[in-house]
Amino acid sequence: MCELVSPDETTTQRATVFAVDIADGSRRWNHEVDIAVAENLDGVAPALTAPAVADGTVYVGVAPEWTFSQLPVPDAGYLVALDADTETVQWRHDVGLVPRTLAVAGDCCYVTDIEGNLVVVR
């Protein structure tokens, strides 16, 4: 699961990816990242994908913080893989775009941006 925390007046927010114990609903771990927030026609959209879980790994696409003086948005997003039990970062991979959606199938992660560009990470 993901949540946004501590919004401020800049284009940066903290986001927390967290695991929940199914038995009692308590949080098992939290993993925080700085993310960018981009204005679009629908208001403000965080540059963070919904997490995907496969084979004991949690995958999340993240666009790190930037400022509006850097527009257009830099192509600086990354994909992070977290161990689902311990939150340990297994790997991080730059994807060259601002992640919008994420899917995992087999040994591949598919990441798209708002323009429909696709990156496949193996």
Side-chain angles (χ1 to χ4, degrees), residues 68-115:
F68 281 117
S69 64
Q70 292 175 295
L71 290 176
V73 177
D75 296 334
Y78 63 91
L79 182 63
V80 63
L82 307 169
D83 183 283
D85 290 325
T86 66
E87 175 208 355
T88 303
V89 175
Q90 295 177 336
W91 51 262
R92 175 185 158 150
H93 182 76
D94 292 335
V95 292
L97 50 75
V98 174
R100 187 67 167 165
T101 62
L102 168 67
V104 178
D107 62 350
C108 295
C109 293
Y110 300 87
V111 183
T112 64
D113 66 8
I114 198 163
E115 296 176 347

Side-chain angles (χ1 to χ4, degrees), residues 2-71:
C2 295
E3 71 180 348
L4 299 179
V5 293
S6 303
D8 58 28
E9 296 177 8
T10 68
T11 57
T12 303
Q13 289 187 345
R14 297 287 292 163
T16 303
V17 179
F18 59 93
V20 175
D21 188 311
I22 295 173
D24 63 13
S26 64
R27 286 195 187 188
R28 295 184 58 211
W29 52 256
N30 297 298
H31 184 82
E32 290 190 355
V33 293
D34 285 327
I35 63 168
V37 176
E39 291 184 17
N40 65 20
L41 296 176
D42 299 324
V44 176
L48 178 76
T49 68
V53 181
D55 298 325
T57 301
V58 178
Y59 302 90
V60 180
V62 180
E65 63 181 295
W66 78 81
T67 65
F68 281 117
S69 64
Q70 292 175 295
L71 290 176

